[in-house]
Amino acid sequence: MSRAATLGRNIGHAFGENRLTLVAVAILLVLLVCAAFGTALAPYDPLMTDSTAKMSPPSGLHLFGTDALGRDILSRVVVAARLDLGMAISAVVLSFVLGLALGAVAGYFGGWADRIIGRLMDTIMAFPLFVLAMGIVAALGNSVLNIILATMIINLPFYCRFARGEVNVRREMGYVEAARMGGNRALPVLVNHIIPNILPAMMVQASLNMGWAILNAAGLSFIGLGVRPPTPEWGIMVSEGASFIISGEWWTFVFPGAALVLAVFCFNLLGDGLRDLLDPRRRV
Amino acid sequence: MTQPLLDARALTKRYPVGGGKRGAMLHAVDAVDLTIAPGECVGLVGESGCGKSTLVRLLARLIDPTSGNIFLDGADTTAVSQARFVTMPDRARIQVVFQDPSESLNPSFRVFDSIADPLKRLLGVRDRDKLAAQVHRAAELVGLPRELIERYPHQLSGGQRARVGIARAIVVEPSLLILDEPTSALDVSVQAIILRLLADLQARLGMSYLFVSHDLNVVRLLCSRIVVMYLGRVVEVAPTEELFTAPRHPYTRALIASIPDPARRGEARPRLDGSPRSPIDPDPNTCRFYGRCPTGTDRCATAMPELLRFGEGHFAACHFA
Ligand SMILES: Nc1ncnc2c1ncn2[C@@H]1O[C@H](COP(=O)(O)OP(=O)(O)OP(=O)(O)O)[C@@H](O)[C@H]1O
Ligand SMILES: [Mg+2]
């Protein structure tokens, strides 16, 4: 049987057992399509103001209504997907890779490497994490790159500690000893023998963490420390809409807020599905 | 006398034990001397916790000894650290079949990859066809059906996993195969099959064996010489038949007496009373067996008995042997 066919069966197996995963994948696809083709899909230019249609409620013309400057909210929500997901995914990928590398070294070699890396993570964890992220962006400047950097740094201890623990329990296992007997030096032992076994658990953590990263990046923009208006971004849109909560123009914050919630919800659900898919004991 | 394949001298492994008592040491293996001739099959017996697996790891250079040397064909393998030894050509010459076959197979490796990995790493086989040919030959030698080659360990039975563990060890054609209780995790019926396979393999491939077991009956079948360990020390070494007919050490006698024998059912057997001494910072001037030994005297508490010769290849460490 070919490996592709086996993979297909594994995917089918994971979805068959968990319908919610299917829902999550559907939402993810929608989000990814928006991120990839947002500008082409959006009915209006997300930056175009229209003084004749300020604050119009959802209608056939503007499905999600318009904001105080008459910009189409649907278009802004759709176009913002690229930036919001892009920032969160980049941050998660970076902290995943760096955290895995640092944690694996700490967990496998122990000793002073473990102590230095542990101390570094303790230092990061000593701060309230969102405040630390605010500080980093405030110090380095409002830019997409710095938001990614800040989000990466505050998530780093999470991955590093997880990887350290998982590597540490496997370090003494029979199959690792067997790998060394089979001529594997430290790096191949880690890369080929240990890390593939901890990846499933790491991916689940990453997927669960993804929601938090989205909220974090959007949150920085929400408090004015992230990307700047008029860039379409969910956090800014919620923050702009929030001033109309009292006056009742609910569509200005409900739709971008819903996009955020949906994205967070989707990645949390995916975490569970992924666990089933990647667990080697369930492979056929 | 021909040069031994493996010659271990005064091999010692101590583990620090934490928890308040600073500097306390667990003496897992204590000044063990051991030789194995080319093609010879040596048995190593002793009760659980006496340091058999630790000695196996030392001999296989999977851990570094606290002190002592291991010579392989006269060359000192302990001249380099365990981490460096991994890249030495001699690495392929000592292989181990581990105690628990389930735990010693990588759960994310298919059987093929588990067997192919040492070939790639140790012998540098890169060619896919050559690799496949050698993996299949090893699988055939251990009686592993071809259709299992693409499976993951969790899809195999205990006996099949044991076969994979053996195939992985012999695929690089080692000079010495160390078997650490290769059948203890298996059903009795499967045990007999695997033992027959191992005897057959040794006859066909001519490797030396160090066969570890806590069961004297098992090593009696396969080995020409038996080493008896007690609490980290070798207490007796003898050719197999001599060990059974003329054991010198009281611990060996107790081990032999504890073998279930239908002919002697109902008879009172000499039993070992008391609990073993602690392996943590043991008194260097007290016999490790003192306290459990039926003949122990004051002398045993004041002088550690040396391993003395009692005949051709027969050594025992007891003042009263
Ligand atoms: N890594 C380690 N750290 C500390 N102590 C250890 C370590 N490995 C083994 N020991 C101790 O060394 C002693 C010998 O253990 P070992 O595993 O060699 O025994 P064994 O004869 O193989 O037993 P069994 O028949 O149960 O497998 C035990 O007291 C054990 O607790
Ligand atoms: Mg053992």
Side-chain angles (χ1 to χ4, degrees):
Chain A
M1 188 169 41
S2 78
R3 299 206 169 186
T6 322
L7 182 68
R9 272 179 58 190
N10 284 324
I11 292 174
H13 186 68
F15 287 162
E17 276 191 14
N18 196 348
R19 310 246 154 212
L20 273 179
T21 310
L22 258 184
V23 174
V25 170
I27 300 174
L28 179 70
L29 281 180
V30 171
L31 289 171
L32 288 181
V33 167
C34 289
F37 310 109
T39 32
L41 288 175
Y44 297 90
D45 178 344
L47 295 178
M48 188 188 69
T49 54
D50 180 357
S51 51
T52 61
K54 283 181 190 163
M55 282 298 182
S56 53
S59 65
L61 218 55
H62 297 283
L63 279 179
F64 286 3
T66 61
D67 65 10
L69 298 173
R71 294 175 297 199
D72 180 54
I73 291 181
L74 173 62
S75 303
R76 289 176 66 74
V77 166
V78 168
V79 170
R82 178 178 297 177
L83 184 58
D84 276 276
L85 293 185
M87 289 192 299
I89 290 174
S90 318
V92 165
V93 167
L94 284 175
S95 40
F96 186 99
V97 172
L98 197 61
L100 177 60
L102 288 175
V105 166
Y108 190 72
F109 294 102
W112 58 265
D114 188 21
R115 279 197 295 279
I116 291 176
I117 293 170
R119 204 57 57 79
L120 203 67
M121 296 305 133
D122 287 344
T123 311
I124 297 176
M125 296 290 280
F127 294 92
L129 291 182
F130 190 72
V131 174
L132 178 62
M134 284 164 54
I136 293 171
V137 177
L140 300 180
N142 279 21
S143 77
V144 171
L145 213 63
N146 291 337
I147 297 175
I148 293 173
L149 192 70
T151 310
M152 187 272 272
I153 289 174
I154 63 170
N155 282 323
L156 196 59
F158 174 75
Y159 292 96
C160 182
R161 287 183 171 177
F162 190 85
R164 182 198 174 276
E166 295 285 308
V167 169
N168 200 260
V169 298
R170 284 169 177 78
R171 180 172 75 159
E172 303 276 313
M173 279 194 166
Y175 69 81
V176 173
E177 203 159 48
R180 286 197 283 125
M181 188 182 69
N184 289 276
R185 309 172 66 160
L187 193 65
V189 165
L190 267 175
V191 173
N192 298 338
H193 289 264
I194 299 183
I195 289 178
N197 286 301
I198 70 170
L199 273 186
M202 287 281 290
M203 301 282 267
V204 173
Q205 298 301 315
S207 193
L208 298 173
N209 180 239
M210 194 53 200
W212 200 63
I214 293 174
L215 281 182
N216 188 81
L220 284 172
S221 305
F222 178 86
I223 59 166
L225 270 172
V227 285
R228 297 207 176 125
T231 318
E233 197 280 332
W234 296 335
I236 299 176
M237 293 174 71
V238 173
S239 130
E240 285 171 352
S243 41
F244 304 106
I245 290 179
I246 310 282
S247 50
E249 284 91 358
W250 54 270
W251 58 90
T252 52
F253 61 90
V254 161
F255 290 112
L260 266 175
V261 170
L262 213 61
V264 172
F265 173 71
C266 153
F267 282 106
N268 282 339
L269 281 184
L270 272 178
D272 290 334
L274 218 52
R275 179 171 39 212
D276 293 348
L277 182 61
L278 294 172
D279 185 349
R281 260 153 299 159
R282 304 183 57 158
R283 272 186 215 159
V284 284
Chain B
M1 199 183 127
T2 55
Q3 186 177 8
L5 169 70
L6 181 113
D7 185 0
R9 294 193 199 147
L11 216 48
T12 300
K13 183 69 185 179
R14 293 184 189 143
Y15 289 109
V17 280
K21 273 194 286 174
R22 303 231 22 110
M25 287 295 206
L26 186 151
H27 294 224
V29 170
D30 198 6
V32 166
D33 293 318
L34 180 72
T35 58
I36 300 174
E40 190 188 18
C41 183
V42 178
L44 175 65
V45 295
E47 64 193 6
S48 185
C50 73
K52 302 184 298 293
S53 295
T54 306
L55 181 58
V56 165
R57 291 193 170 88
L58 286 171
L59 294 175
R61 295 309 320 276
L62 293 170
I63 53 176
D64 282 319
T66 308
S67 63
N69 300 81
I70 303 163
F71 297 89
L72 192 65
D73 278 335
D76 188 359
T77 68
T78 36
V80 297
S81 73
Q82 166 273 121
R84 288 279 310 282
F85 188 71
V86 168
T87 58
M88 296 286 182
D90 277 345
R91 175 65 280 175
R93 299 190 60 205
I94 313 174
Q95 294 287 301
V96 179
V97 175
F98 290 99
Q99 191 161 0
D100 181 350
S102 312
E103 212 231 8
S104 69
L105 293 178
N106 192 328
S108 62
F109 273 36
R110 292 169 192 269
V111 170
F112 183 93
D113 299 316
S114 279
I115 303 177
D117 192 53
L119 272 177
K120 292 189 222 166
R121 298 275 168 195
L122 291 173
L123 304 187
V125 183
R126 290 267 163 246
D127 182 65
R128 288 190 68 86
D129 293 335
K130 244 192 219 160
L131 210 56
Q134 296 199 39
V135 169
H136 284 126
R137 199 181 83 90
E140 208 170 287
L141 273 173
V142 301
L144 197 67
R146 214 161 234 263
E147 58 271 23
L148 301 184
I149 289 280
E150 287 298 316
R151 293 225 183 144
Y152 287 100
H154 73 272
Q155 297 167 312
L156 301 177
S157 71
Q160 290 162 346
R161 281 179 210 157
R163 287 175 201 266
V164 177
I166 297 168
R168 169 178 64 189
I170 63 166
V171 76
V172 293
E173 299 179 350
S175 316
L176 172 64
L177 187 64
I178 306 180
L179 302 122
D180 189 0
E181 306 199 37
T183 58
S184 62
L186 302 174
D187 285 344
V188 180
S189 57
V190 186
Q191 277 184 15
I193 298 171
I194 297 291
L195 285 177
R196 203 167 311 137
L197 168 72
L198 289 170
D200 179 47
L201 277 177
Q202 206 227 351
R204 283 170 74 173
L205 305 177
M207 318 167 258
S208 300
Y209 270 13
L210 177 65
F211 196 102
V212 180
S213 180
H214 54 252
D215 185 348
L216 264 176
N217 265 343
V218 169
V219 290
R220 184 180 200 170
L221 286 175
L222 285 166
C223 305
S224 53
R225 201 154 60 89
I226 294 177
V227 177
V228 182
M229 257 181 106
Y230 186 80
L231 272 186
R233 288 181 75 94
V234 171
V235 296
E236 186 158 9
V237 183
T240 303
E241 278 323 303
E242 199 174 324
L243 188 91
F244 279 89
T245 51
R248 292 278 181 166
H249 197 281
Y251 176 65
T252 315
R253 289 197 203 112
L255 268 186
I256 293 170
S258 69
I259 297 173
D261 182 352
R264 287 185 306 158
R265 209 165 49 204
E267 273 178 46
R269 296 201 205 119
R271 294 217 4 230
L272 290 181
D273 296 321
S275 53
R277 307 182 73 79
S278 164
I280 295 164
D281 287 338
D283 183 347
N285 293 318
T286 303
C287 175
R288 296 282 159 85
F289 197 42
Y290 182 65
R292 256 177 123 190
C293 180
T295 49
T297 66
D298 288 350
R299 196 173 153 208
C300 306
T302 51
M304 174 72 85
E306 296 291 319
L307 203 57
L308 298 177
R309 191 166 179 276
F310 288 91
E312 184 59 38
H314 193 161
F315 299 83
C318 178
H319 297 307
F320 304 97

